Every structure is written in C-alpha cells, then in structure tokens.
Amino acid sequence: MAHTKHTKHTKHTKHTMSKSMRRVLRREVPSTVGLLADEQDFAAMKRYGSFVFDDHAAYLHQIDDLLRSLAAQGVHTTVALFDPEEFLEFCEATGLDPDTPVSRTRFTAELAICGASVPYSGQPIDRLVPLLINEAVRQATWDYATLLLADLGNCAECGKDIGRESFDRASRLVLRLLEAAGPGTHHLVCSVPAEQAQLLAVLHAERTGDEPVHLPESESAEFMTVLAAGIAMESPGGVVLRTTEPGEPARLRGWRLNRGSLVALSAGEVFSAYCTDADTGDPVSPEPGVEYCPGFDVEDPEPRH
C-alpha cells in the first residue's frame, strides 16, 4: 500500500512539473494574431461557416481580451493584418479549404513572416487598429516604389541602373539635408504622385551637436526609396522638414522636386503650403509656436547621369 501511495505521489509530482515546464516553454514561444481591421474585411469572412463571429465590434473586443491574456502569460505577441482576398489567394495556391480554422491559422503564420504587422505592447484596440493599418499602407508604399525603380532598367546613355542611381542620389540628398538642418529632432515627409497611388514616406532623425545624424535603418530605406522614385520619374513631388529643439519654436522648411532635383522653397512658399486648405484653397490659421523658414540649397556633390 505504501508503495502504491508513493507511486501515485511521484506521478502527480511529475505531472505538476510537466505542466509547469510547459507554461515556461509557452512564454518562450511567440504568438501571432491575425486581425480583421475593418468591417468590410470582417463581412467578407462571414461567408465562411467556420468563422463564428457575427459582429465586428464584439470581435474586436474578443481580440483585445485575447491579447491581454497572452500578455499576462508573458507571451510576446505580434498582430498581423488579415486580408480576406490574400487569404483566399493563399488557400487557392496551397490547395487548402478556406472554410477551416486550420487554414486561417496557416495563413496567419505566413503573415508573421511577410505581412504587415505590429508588436503588441498593451495598446488598447482602438489604438492598435490604426497602427496596423498605417503599417500596411507604409509597407505597400515601399513595395510599390521599389517596383517602380526596378522596372526602370538601365540608362540608354551610360548603361547604369536608373533605379540604383536614383536611390544613391536620394540617399546623398537626405544626408546633406539633415546635416545642413543642424542639431535637433527632425521629422521629414516626402510626397510623390505616381500613376496608381500617392506615395508618402516619413523619416524621423535625431542629431545632437556636431555628431553625425542617426537614421533608423528601415525607415530611412523606405523614405529614400520613395524620394528616389520621384527623382527617377522626375515627379513634381516634394519634401517638408520640421525641426524641433527644447525651448525653441519648431522650424518648418520645404523643397519641391523639379526634374529630379530638390529646389528650396522660400519662407513665403512654405507658409502658403502649410496655411492653405489643399481641398478648398481657403487660408488656414498659422500653427502657433512655429517658424516658417526658407529651405536651403541641397548640393549633390556627385554628377547626375
């Protein structure tokens, strides 16, 4: 009898330790949650009988609860944008039945690798959804601009890759622009009209004293790709720069793209651009605590081909 009790106790102890170790391992395994960000995408998934949700608001509430639960367990979670059209294409390509939870899980795993996603860090769902949509737009913009550059081929005169040359030129221009802007926190926006979309890229940069400017790798690559597309296509787009320093008014400057070159705007042109409603043409009140400054020449030391 004693031996039997000891055996049961040993088995119970091993079972408890096994569960504990699984919980530890669970914290080591990252999770990805696919999110239907808008009601249109949500409605598209309701055609599948295995998709049990019927109200988008209630669905978002459940997603919020799930994310909080995973975070409470110490699990690192990424939230990925779930696109029903891409999901259907994925199922057709892989021979999966789209009307099963397993197929949705497989697709979500793919999103973790190459889809638009953001890390979950406790954001409420009403903040998480816009972040995810913005990330999807940013990724689509970068992809489109990259394809534009790749399709340009080689220069007929010098034989060089037009896309590569334009990207290198954009990189030099951005670095010189930020060097000339001096110390502070810099917020750059580049806008380039293209055939199928308005390309928009944002770049944040910090510079302290005479130290070299610090550029985030991914964000700077995206920005320079969009600017390079404008340079290569000789688009009429432009670049605006907001610089802030502690205790100082923000400074706004601007440049327009003209035949592949950045041309500085005057202070009046910068003021007009910021203080005019783009849709109606009506004047808009100046932003308080802001100086509208002229752009400066951005000289490219390398000759253009």
Side-chain angles (χ1 to χ4, degrees):
M1 177 68 76
H3 177 73
T4 302
K5 288 182 179 181
H6 176 73
T7 301
K8 288 182 178 180
H9 176 74
T10 301
K11 288 182 177 180
H12 175 74
T13 301
K14 288 182 177 180
H15 178 69
T16 302
M17 291 179 62
S18 178
K19 289 179 64 178
S20 176
M21 292 303 295
R22 282 199 298 271
R23 284 195 295 268
V24 171
L25 286 173
R26 182 69 186 92
R27 292 195 293 270
E28 302 275 344
V29 179
S31 291
T32 302
V33 174
L35 175 64
L36 296 159
D38 60 45
E39 294 193 14
Q40 184 176 351
D41 286 346
F42 181 82
M45 292 302 294
K46 287 171 63 177
R47 61 181 153 173
Y48 301 119
S50 62
F51 186 76
V52 298
F53 298 94
D54 58 10
D55 179 79
H56 190 235
Y59 162 82
L60 290 178
H61 180 72
Q62 292 295 324
I63 290 288
D64 193 35
D65 285 347
L66 172 62
L67 293 172
R68 291 176 184 274
S69 174
L70 290 170
Q73 299 172 46
V75 177
H76 174 76
T77 305
T78 298
V79 184
L81 187 67
F82 195 106
D83 186 302
E85 292 184 4
E86 292 181 0
F87 169 62
L88 187 57
E89 292 173 359
F90 171 79
C91 289
E92 290 173 349
T94 55
L96 295 173
D97 178 3
D99 196 3
T100 66
V102 172
S103 297
R104 292 193 289 274
T105 300
R106 286 273 301 276
F107 178 65
T108 301
E110 291 289 322
L111 292 177
I113 301 171
C114 57
S117 62
V118 295
Y120 177 71
S121 57
Q123 309 97 320
I125 198 70
D126 58 351
R127 283 186 52 206
L128 187 61
V129 169
L131 283 174
L132 189 56
I133 292 174
N134 288 341
E135 175 63 17
V137 171
R138 182 200 62 76
Q139 184 169 312
T141 298
W142 191 10
D143 290 344
Y144 181 56
T146 301
L147 287 174
L148 283 177
L149 293 176
D151 288 342
L152 292 174
N154 296 333
C155 174
E157 296 180 1
C158 67
K160 293 186 177 182
D161 186 303
I162 297 174
R164 169 51 60 184
E165 289 292 299
S166 298
F167 184 88
D168 290 345
R169 174 171 164 75
S171 301
R172 294 193 299 269
L173 289 173
V174 169
L175 287 174
R176 290 186 62 81
L177 189 155
L178 290 172
E179 287 172 0
T185 300
H186 304 295
H187 178 84
L188 277 164
V189 178
C190 179
S191 178
V192 173
E195 184 177 347
Q196 298 182 14
Q198 179 77 17
L199 303 180
L200 191 69
V202 176
L203 175 61
H204 297 86
E206 298 278 349
R207 188 178 182 195
T208 303
D210 294 329
E211 295 181 5
V213 65
H214 172 70
L215 293 178
E217 183 175 350
S218 177
E219 194 176 277
S220 61
E222 296 159 18
F223 188 91
M224 292 166 185
T225 300
V226 170
L227 179 56
I231 291 171
M233 297 185 300
E234 299 192 343
S235 166
V239 173
V240 293
L241 167 66
R242 177 188 291 262
T243 300
T244 57
E245 292 185 83
E248 300 288 339
R251 300 187 299 275
L252 293 178
R253 295 183 172 91
W255 294 259
R256 68 174 179 272
L257 272 168
N258 181 32
R259 301 184 65 181
S261 297
L262 281 179
V263 179
L265 299 179
S266 68
E269 289 174 318
V270 174
F271 180 89
S272 178
Y274 274 94
C275 300
T276 303
D277 189 293
D279 296 324
T280 66
D282 295 334
V284 177
S285 298
E287 187 178 346
V290 169
E291 291 182 357
Y292 299 88
C293 307
F296 41 78
D297 290 336
V298 183
E299 299 178 2
D300 185 6
E302 298 293 332
R304 294 190 62 190
H305 294 278

